[in-house]
Amino acid sequence: LLGQIHADYPSTPVGAICSPMMDPMYCTYIQASCADSELCTYMVMPSDALVEPLGCNYHPSAIGQQNMANAVYPTIAKMLEA
């Protein structure tokens, strides 16, 4: 997927974020895929961003979504400055 994004949008920075709830195998794959591009920034969502209360089917609530946005904001802001 990252290769296709870079093929279609070659100068666009991409953030690849892995959740601590994912199987570590997926995070390893995402990180390796991102390592092939200078425009890709790999991030791991801190587990403390995924806090109670949870929304439907264990998805993040509005509070959890705000916590996740706060966690990745500094990295994404740096990506967009470049």
Side-chain angles (χ1 to χ4, degrees):
L1 179 60
L2 292 173
Q4 184 63 50
I5 291 169
H6 285 306
D8 293 343
Y9 308 97
S11 62
T12 301
V14 174
I17 305 170
C18 194
S19 165
M21 298 174 72
M22 297 291 291
D23 184 311
M25 174 185 70
Y26 295 117
C27 294
T28 300
Y29 174 75
I30 293 168
Q31 185 176 22
S33 297
C34 195
D36 293 337
S37 170
E38 292 180 15
L39 291 173
C40 188
T41 301
Y42 175 73
M43 296 171 267
V44 176
M45 183 61 59
S47 58
D48 61 353
L50 305 172
V51 296
E52 302 286 340
L54 295 174
C56 297
N57 294 327
Y58 300 101
H59 287 89
S61 65
I63 294 168
Q65 291 176 21
Q66 185 64 58
N67 289 340
M68 291 188 298
N70 292 342
V72 299
Y73 176 82
T75 302
I76 292 174
K78 285 180 188 175
M79 288 170 53
L80 297 175
E81 287 176 0

